[in-house]
Amino acid sequence: NAGVTQTPKFQVLKTGQSMTLQCAQDMNHEYMSWYRQDPGMGLRLIHYSVGAGITDQGEVPNGYNVSRSTTEDFPLRLLSAAPSQTSVYFCASSYRRTSGALSSYNEQFFGPGTRLTVL
Amino acid sequence: KNQVEQSPQSLIILEGKNCTLQCNYTVSPFSNLRWYKQDTGRGPVSLTIMTFSENTKSNGRYTATLDADTKQSSLHITASQLSDSASYICTNTDKLIFGTGTRLQVFP
């Protein structure tokens, strides 16, 4: 199993450009999510999906779009890149998203990350 | 406000020494708390999960503790190795609130 894969590894964009960060998992996980990681801050949730065809916003969704047409893939689209979107982006998946005591099953499996710079 | 705070921000130790990392959380109600290890340039990987009913759990040289009364968790690393150099992140598993992490550097 490859686990969670992300492409590209590095990307430089100019302000206003658009691009798609790819994420795929081969573990048949229901739940997938996108995070950004900035210096001095914890991982922040951008968007998530609890299954194919279902997506929802996280803590910092502005400027990003997602879709989930298959269980395996969960691309993140930057519509018009801004310097504030310079960050490291991580895709993650888990078997499912549960709450309360059962949330111990919410082990997130992370991809290797995409380092994005917006000039 | 639900928060997860970690200390210290960074830590430097010599190989073979022990260290303890702290995680304080104000997430309510408490569910479970997970520790991740993140090597430089890679995604976080789970080390251990602490549930409400557990006080201590070991995973090799890593021992996690949880005090639900004071809302504190710690990660103790015994006989540190160079490969322990990484960031260690704690997170509330229910609301998926991540701490800012502690960056540990182990020198020979």
Side-chain angles (χ1 to χ4, degrees), chain A residues 38-74:
Chain A
D38 300 294
M41 305 188 74
L43 288 156
R44 292 184 293 168
L45 184 63
I46 303 172
H47 285 286
Y48 66 94
S49 169
V50 297
I54 306 170
T55 64
D56 208 344
Q57 296 180 350
E59 178 186 357
V60 289
N62 292 340
Y64 309 95
N65 273 0
V66 293
S67 61
R68 183 114 178 254
S69 56
T70 67
T71 300
E72 295 78 18
D73 300 300
F74 191 45

Side-chain angles (χ1 to χ4, degrees), chain B residues 12-31:
Chain B
I12 297 174
I13 62 173
L14 293 176
E15 186 179 15
K17 299 297 185 182
N18 304 334
C19 66
T20 300
L21 315 179
Q22 299 289 345
C23 175
N24 297 335
Y25 57 94
T26 58
V27 180
S28 182
F30 175 79
S31 53

Side-chain angles (χ1 to χ4, degrees), chain B:
Chain B
K1 180 180 179 183
N2 292 319
Q3 283 186 318
V4 176
E5 297 178 342
Q6 294 187 244
S7 62
Q9 279 190 325
S10 62
L11 183 62
I12 297 174
I13 62 173
L14 293 176
E15 186 179 15
K17 299 297 185 182
N18 304 334
C19 66
T20 300
L21 315 179
Q22 299 289 345
C23 175
N24 297 335
Y25 57 94
T26 58
V27 180
S28 182
F30 175 79
S31 53
N32 306 294
L33 192 143
R34 186 180 294 278
W35 284 91
Y36 287 90
K37 178 186 179 187
Q38 184 178 20
D39 292 317
T40 300
R42 311 191 78 162
V45 176
S46 177
L47 279 175
T48 190
I49 174 79
M50 299 296 291
T51 62
F52 183 81
S53 60
E54 295 175 307
N55 297 118
T56 303
K57 181 184 287 185
S58 292
N59 178 7
R61 295 181 297 102
Y62 299 100
T63 299
T65 66
L66 179 64
D67 186 332
D69 291 331
T70 60
K71 295 187 176 181
Q72 293 180 331
S73 178
S74 67
L75 182 69
H76 185 75
I77 304 175
T78 304
S80 61
Q81 300 177 357
L82 299 179
S83 59
D84 292 330
S85 294
S87 289
Y88 293 84
I89 302 169
C90 65
T91 177
N92 167 268
T93 60
D94 187 9
K95 292 179 169 55
L96 293 178
I97 299 173
F98 289 80
T100 55
T102 292
R103 186 183 178 213
L104 174 65
Q105 292 177 276
V106 181
F107 285 101

Side-chain angles (χ1 to χ4, degrees), chain A residues 71-103:
Chain A
T71 300
E72 295 78 18
D73 300 300
F74 191 45
L76 177 72
R77 297 183 187 85
L78 279 69
L79 307 174
S80 178
S84 61
Q85 293 179 304
T86 294
S87 187
V88 181
Y89 291 85
F90 289 99
C91 178
S93 73
S94 65
Y95 178 60
R96 59 179 54 183
R97 176 73 188 270
T98 53
S99 61
L102 292 178
S103 67

